Short mmCIF file of all heavy atoms in Angstrom, two decimals:
data_model
loop_
_atom_site.label_atom_id
_atom_site.label_comp_id
_atom_site.label_asym_id
_atom_site.label_seq_id
_atom_site.Cartn_x
_atom_site.Cartn_y
_atom_site.Cartn_z
N ALA G 1 -33.16 -47.24 57.72
CA ALA G 1 -33.20 -45.78 57.72
C ALA G 1 -32.87 -45.25 56.34
O ALA G 1 -32.13 -45.89 55.58
CB ALA G 1 -32.21 -45.24 58.75
N PRO G 2 -33.40 -44.06 55.99
CA PRO G 2 -33.00 -43.41 54.73
C PRO G 2 -31.49 -43.23 54.68
O PRO G 2 -30.82 -43.20 55.72
CB PRO G 2 -33.72 -42.06 54.79
CG PRO G 2 -34.90 -42.30 55.68
CD PRO G 2 -34.44 -43.30 56.70
N ALA G 3 -30.96 -43.10 53.50
CA ALA G 3 -29.50 -43.12 53.29
C ALA G 3 -28.78 -42.10 54.17
O ALA G 3 -27.75 -42.43 54.79
CB ALA G 3 -29.19 -42.86 51.82
N ASP G 4 -29.29 -40.85 54.25
CA ASP G 4 -28.57 -39.83 55.02
C ASP G 4 -28.56 -40.15 56.51
O ASP G 4 -27.56 -39.95 57.20
CB ASP G 4 -29.18 -38.45 54.78
CG ASP G 4 -30.66 -38.39 55.13
OD1 ASP G 4 -31.33 -39.44 55.08
OD2 ASP G 4 -31.15 -37.29 55.46
N VAL G 5 -29.69 -40.72 57.01
CA VAL G 5 -29.76 -41.09 58.42
C VAL G 5 -28.86 -42.29 58.70
O VAL G 5 -28.13 -42.34 59.70
CB VAL G 5 -31.21 -41.39 58.84
CG1 VAL G 5 -31.28 -41.82 60.31
CG2 VAL G 5 -32.10 -40.18 58.60
N ALA G 6 -28.89 -43.27 57.79
CA ALA G 6 -28.05 -44.46 57.96
C ALA G 6 -26.57 -44.08 57.99
O ALA G 6 -25.80 -44.60 58.81
CB ALA G 6 -28.33 -45.45 56.83
N GLN G 7 -26.18 -43.16 57.12
CA GLN G 7 -24.78 -42.72 57.09
C GLN G 7 -24.40 -42.00 58.38
O GLN G 7 -23.30 -42.17 58.90
CB GLN G 7 -24.54 -41.81 55.88
CG GLN G 7 -24.60 -42.55 54.54
CD GLN G 7 -24.68 -41.61 53.36
OE1 GLN G 7 -24.51 -40.40 53.50
NE2 GLN G 7 -24.97 -42.16 52.18
N LEU G 8 -25.33 -41.20 58.92
CA LEU G 8 -25.08 -40.51 60.18
C LEU G 8 -24.88 -41.52 61.32
O LEU G 8 -23.92 -41.41 62.10
CB LEU G 8 -26.25 -39.58 60.52
CG LEU G 8 -26.24 -38.95 61.91
CD1 LEU G 8 -25.09 -37.96 62.04
CD2 LEU G 8 -27.57 -38.27 62.21
N LEU G 9 -25.74 -42.52 61.39
CA LEU G 9 -25.65 -43.53 62.45
C LEU G 9 -24.36 -44.32 62.33
O LEU G 9 -23.70 -44.62 63.34
CB LEU G 9 -26.86 -44.46 62.39
CG LEU G 9 -28.23 -43.82 62.62
CD1 LEU G 9 -29.33 -44.86 62.45
CD2 LEU G 9 -28.32 -43.17 63.99
N GLU G 10 -23.98 -44.67 61.12
CA GLU G 10 -22.75 -45.43 60.92
C GLU G 10 -21.52 -44.58 61.26
O GLU G 10 -20.51 -45.10 61.75
CB GLU G 10 -22.69 -45.93 59.48
CG GLU G 10 -23.69 -47.06 59.21
CD GLU G 10 -23.80 -47.41 57.73
OE1 GLU G 10 -23.17 -46.68 56.91
OE2 GLU G 10 -24.51 -48.37 57.39
N ARG G 11 -21.63 -43.28 61.04
CA ARG G 11 -20.50 -42.39 61.37
C ARG G 11 -20.25 -42.36 62.88
O ARG G 11 -19.10 -42.33 63.32
CB ARG G 11 -20.78 -40.99 60.83
CG ARG G 11 -19.74 -39.95 61.21
CD ARG G 11 -19.74 -38.80 60.21
NE ARG G 11 -21.04 -38.18 60.09
CZ ARG G 11 -21.48 -37.19 60.89
NH1 ARG G 11 -20.70 -36.76 61.87
NH2 ARG G 11 -22.66 -36.65 60.71
N TYR G 12 -21.32 -42.38 63.65
CA TYR G 12 -21.17 -42.38 65.11
C TYR G 12 -20.85 -43.77 65.66
O TYR G 12 -20.34 -43.89 66.77
CB TYR G 12 -22.42 -41.81 65.77
CG TYR G 12 -22.41 -40.30 65.83
CD1 TYR G 12 -22.98 -39.54 64.82
CD2 TYR G 12 -21.79 -39.64 66.89
CE1 TYR G 12 -22.95 -38.16 64.86
CE2 TYR G 12 -21.76 -38.25 66.94
CZ TYR G 12 -22.34 -37.52 65.93
OH TYR G 12 -22.30 -36.15 65.97
N GLY G 13 -21.15 -44.80 64.89
CA GLY G 13 -20.73 -46.15 65.27
C GLY G 13 -21.78 -46.95 66.01
O GLY G 13 -22.55 -46.40 66.81
N LEU G 14 -21.80 -48.25 65.75
CA LEU G 14 -22.78 -49.13 66.38
C LEU G 14 -22.61 -49.24 67.89
O LEU G 14 -23.60 -49.31 68.62
CB LEU G 14 -22.72 -50.52 65.73
CG LEU G 14 -23.11 -50.58 64.25
CD1 LEU G 14 -23.02 -52.01 63.73
CD2 LEU G 14 -24.52 -50.02 64.03
N PRO G 15 -21.36 -49.27 68.43
CA PRO G 15 -21.23 -49.34 69.89
C PRO G 15 -21.94 -48.20 70.61
O PRO G 15 -22.56 -48.40 71.66
CB PRO G 15 -19.72 -49.30 70.11
CG PRO G 15 -19.14 -49.89 68.85
CD PRO G 15 -20.05 -49.41 67.76
N MET G 16 -21.87 -46.97 70.05
CA MET G 16 -22.56 -45.86 70.69
C MET G 16 -24.07 -46.05 70.64
O MET G 16 -24.80 -45.78 71.61
CB MET G 16 -22.20 -44.54 70.01
CG MET G 16 -22.70 -43.32 70.78
SD MET G 16 -23.09 -41.86 69.78
CE MET G 16 -24.72 -42.32 69.13
N LEU G 17 -24.58 -46.54 69.51
CA LEU G 17 -26.02 -46.77 69.37
C LEU G 17 -26.49 -47.84 70.36
O LEU G 17 -27.55 -47.70 70.98
CB LEU G 17 -26.36 -47.19 67.94
CG LEU G 17 -26.06 -46.17 66.83
CD1 LEU G 17 -26.45 -46.73 65.48
CD2 LEU G 17 -26.78 -44.86 67.10
N GLU G 18 -25.70 -48.90 70.50
CA GLU G 18 -26.07 -49.97 71.43
C GLU G 18 -26.14 -49.46 72.87
O GLU G 18 -27.04 -49.84 73.63
CB GLU G 18 -25.08 -51.12 71.31
CG GLU G 18 -25.20 -51.87 69.98
CD GLU G 18 -23.98 -52.73 69.65
OE1 GLU G 18 -23.03 -52.75 70.46
OE2 GLU G 18 -23.98 -53.37 68.58
N GLU G 19 -25.23 -48.58 73.22
CA GLU G 19 -25.26 -48.00 74.57
C GLU G 19 -26.43 -47.04 74.73
O GLU G 19 -27.10 -47.02 75.76
CB GLU G 19 -23.94 -47.29 74.88
CG GLU G 19 -22.79 -48.24 75.13
CD GLU G 19 -21.59 -47.54 75.78
OE1 GLU G 19 -21.61 -46.30 75.87
OE2 GLU G 19 -20.66 -48.25 76.19
N LEU G 20 -26.67 -46.24 73.71
CA LEU G 20 -27.76 -45.26 73.78
C LEU G 20 -29.12 -45.95 73.84
O LEU G 20 -30.00 -45.55 74.61
CB LEU G 20 -27.70 -44.33 72.57
CG LEU G 20 -28.79 -43.26 72.47
CD1 LEU G 20 -28.76 -42.33 73.68
CD2 LEU G 20 -28.63 -42.46 71.17
N PHE G 21 -29.29 -47.01 73.04
CA PHE G 21 -30.56 -47.73 73.04
C PHE G 21 -30.66 -48.74 74.18
O PHE G 21 -31.73 -49.27 74.46
CB PHE G 21 -30.74 -48.47 71.71
CG PHE G 21 -30.67 -47.60 70.49
CD1 PHE G 21 -30.23 -48.12 69.26
CD2 PHE G 21 -31.01 -46.26 70.54
CE1 PHE G 21 -30.16 -47.33 68.13
CE2 PHE G 21 -30.94 -45.45 69.40
CZ PHE G 21 -30.51 -45.99 68.20
N ILE G 22 -29.52 -49.02 74.84
CA ILE G 22 -29.41 -50.03 75.91
C ILE G 22 -29.87 -51.38 75.38
O ILE G 22 -30.78 -52.03 75.91
CB ILE G 22 -30.19 -49.61 77.17
CG1 ILE G 22 -29.91 -48.15 77.52
CG2 ILE G 22 -29.81 -50.51 78.36
CD1 ILE G 22 -30.66 -47.65 78.74
N VAL G 23 -29.24 -51.83 74.29
CA VAL G 23 -29.55 -53.12 73.68
C VAL G 23 -28.26 -53.92 73.50
O VAL G 23 -27.16 -53.38 73.64
CB VAL G 23 -30.25 -52.94 72.31
CG1 VAL G 23 -31.59 -52.23 72.48
CG2 VAL G 23 -29.36 -52.17 71.33
N ALA G 24 -28.43 -55.21 73.19
CA ALA G 24 -27.26 -56.09 73.02
C ALA G 24 -26.51 -55.78 71.73
O ALA G 24 -25.29 -55.63 71.73
CB ALA G 24 -27.70 -57.55 73.05
N THR G 25 -27.25 -55.71 70.64
CA THR G 25 -26.62 -55.43 69.34
C THR G 25 -27.52 -54.52 68.52
O THR G 25 -28.73 -54.46 68.73
CB THR G 25 -26.37 -56.73 68.53
OG1 THR G 25 -27.63 -57.36 68.25
CG2 THR G 25 -25.47 -57.68 69.29
N ALA G 26 -26.90 -53.84 67.57
CA ALA G 26 -27.65 -53.00 66.64
C ALA G 26 -26.98 -53.08 65.27
O ALA G 26 -25.77 -53.19 65.18
CB ALA G 26 -27.70 -51.56 67.12
#
């Protein structure tokens, strides 16, 4: 992801992304 998007995703944390995407790891 572009830098601003990557920073946003990292701010919310990988565990939240994994739950939102319903995947094992992100």
Side-chain angles (χ1 to χ4, degrees):
D4 58 334
V5 178
Q7 290 167 10
L8 171 67
L9 297 177
E10 288 171 354
R11 175 156 56 87
Y12 276 92
L14 296 181
M16 190 210 79
L17 297 180
E18 290 162 1
E19 287 195 351
L20 179 60
F21 304 151
I22 314 180
V23 297
T25 62

